[in-house]
Amino acid sequence: MRKAASSVEGILFAILLALCVVLSLAADSFFSVQNAFDLLNNQSVNIIFAVGLVVVLIAGGIDISFSVAASVVQYVVVVMMIRIGGGNWLFGFAAAMACGLTLGLFNAFLIHRLRIVSIIASIGTFNLFFGLLMYLTRGRSIYAIPDWLDERVALLTVGADRAQATLYLPALVMLVVVAVTWFILAKTGFGRLVYGFGSDPEAARRSGVRIAVMQGFAYGWLGLCAGIAGLMQAHMVREVVPNALYGRELDVLAAVVLGGAVLGGGRGSVPGAVLGVLLLAVVQNGLNLLGVTPYAFKAIVGAIILIAVTFTNFDKVAPLIGLSNRKARAT
């Protein structure tokens, strides 16, 4: 399992490297520190989403409500901070993680207790969260956010004047979330249980694994990541727009499956998810620099999802296209 993940990660890294070389030759502005920093700043939110989503996919589930959950979190947190007099980063992170965790556990409750199929549950909560958010806020944005959230925190600045490139706080937060998620999945016994549960839930249950804990962790972790991502997105754009994150779920899902996760569970990795996001981001960035219509990128995302679903169900598809397994050949 880990060898397969390493193989996928190696292939993705090679493709990413080759693509960067090609785009550097095709567009002079691509190979620059400023473009690299912009890429990391802009993709930090998607990477945080991705490492949360990969946990759900490894555990055998799926969730597309995380983007609107992040929108709900950022709106709730900013309103809360304003009402208590402004707040600070500590209160902001605590509130965002608690709110995101609650929304994630709500999905877990629907799936585990009410026995709703994960994709149906997440479609339902996607519309429930977004509908309530737009109804209660009337679609109004918040421009006067607390000062601590409005002032960008620079981590690293290279160059000067117009050639200046800056890496901001979301990149550091993203690295922390990536590191913690990777450690849990790759270096702990609990992480191995998550993989085992995703591969064969029934066998895991018979061996004593508590399904409620597995599903609670997977969806709760994604919710927590969504809360953090929502706060970071509000920090980067310096405002809260209710529908700003609407539609990102499919891009992130495509990136995660491109990184080696499968919709059937038991496979996937944090490095693969990160590389998947970066690869799609580089493709999108390159298309923009080359003046290609953004609809081409949407077509690429759709193709990746279709291919991922096809390979996930390959055993069912193979007989339909005339392929037979080894056992059939032997007979």
Side-chain angles (χ1 to χ4, degrees):
M1 180 172 60
R2 292 184 178 179
K3 289 183 178 180
S6 299
S7 176
V8 171
E9 293 159 12
I11 293 172
L12 279 179
F13 183 76
I15 294 173
L16 181 61
L17 189 62
L19 189 59
C20 287
V21 172
V22 172
L23 290 174
S24 298
L25 297 174
D28 295 336
S29 58
F30 180 83
F31 192 73
S32 65
V33 175
Q34 183 174 2
N35 192 48
F37 279 13
D38 287 344
L39 192 67
L40 287 175
N41 289 327
N42 294 334
Q43 294 303 314
S44 291
V45 170
N46 280 354
I47 291 175
I48 295 171
F49 279 146
V51 297
L53 181 59
V54 76
V55 175
V56 171
L57 292 181
I58 289 171
I62 188 170
D63 187 351
I64 62 169
S65 67
F66 57 86
S67 59
V68 294
S71 296
V72 171
V73 169
Q74 64 178 205
Y75 211 100
V76 169
V77 170
V78 169
V79 170
M80 184 187 304
M81 293 300 107
I82 291 174
R83 290 184 177 179
I84 66 173
N88 53 44
W89 278 112
L90 180 61
F91 286 136
F93 272 116
M97 290 189 289
C99 187
L101 179 63
T102 300
L103 295 178
L105 290 177
F106 179 68
N107 273 332
F109 172 79
L110 295 177
I111 294 165
H112 180 70
R113 284 295 181 185
L114 303 185
R115 299 292 191 270
I116 301 175
V117 177
S118 60
I119 182 62
I120 303 300
S122 65
I123 290 174
T125 52
F126 176 95
N127 287 282
L128 176 64
F129 296 160
F130 186 68
L132 286 175
L133 178 64
M134 295 302 290
Y135 174 75
L136 295 175
T137 65
R138 298 182 181 179
R140 289 193 296 255
S141 300
I142 302 176
Y143 300 106
I145 63 176
D147 291 340
W148 58 269
L149 190 60
D150 181 68
E151 296 174 3
R152 288 187 175 178
V153 180
L155 301 176
L156 177 64
T157 300
V158 177
D161 300 329
R162 294 183 178 180
Q164 191 176 81
T166 304
L167 198 62
Y168 293 104
L169 177 64
L172 175 61
V173 174
M174 174 266 291
L175 287 175
V176 172
V177 174
V178 167
V180 172
T181 309
W182 172 82
F183 181 81
I184 292 172
L185 291 178
K187 297 298 181 179
T188 67
F190 184 80
R192 289 188 287 273
L193 288 179
V194 175
Y195 275 100
F197 173 73
S199 298
D200 193 338
E202 182 58 25
R205 185 189 66 80
R206 290 177 179 177
S207 64
V209 175
R210 296 179 62 185
I211 295 178
V213 173
M214 293 293 104
Q215 293 179 330
F217 168 73
Y219 291 96
W221 189 259
L222 176 55
L224 186 145
C225 289
I228 295 173
L231 189 67
M232 289 299 95
Q233 198 268 346
H235 173 60
M236 284 302 296
V237 301
R238 296 175 168 178
E239 62 184 16
V240 175
V241 181
N243 61 351
L245 293 170
Y246 185 93
R248 286 206 191 187
E249 58 283 340
L250 293 184
D251 294 352
V252 175
L253 176 61
V256 174
V257 297
L258 183 62
V262 296
L263 302 183
R267 286 182 55 188
S269 69
V270 170
V274 173
L275 287 171
V277 172
L278 291 178
L279 181 57
L280 285 186
V282 168
V283 169
Q284 186 177 28
N285 186 255
L287 292 175
N288 291 337
L289 292 175
L290 296 174
V292 179
T293 173
Y295 294 113
F297 178 72
K298 289 297 181 183
I300 292 171
V301 169
I304 290 171
I305 293 175
L306 288 175
I307 292 171
V309 173
T310 300
F311 276 97
T312 300
N313 296 286
F314 187 76
D315 290 339
K316 298 176 182 178
V317 174
L320 299 178
I321 60 177
L323 297 177
S324 57
N325 56 30
R326 293 180 180 178
K327 184 176 180 180
R329 289 178 181 174
T331 56

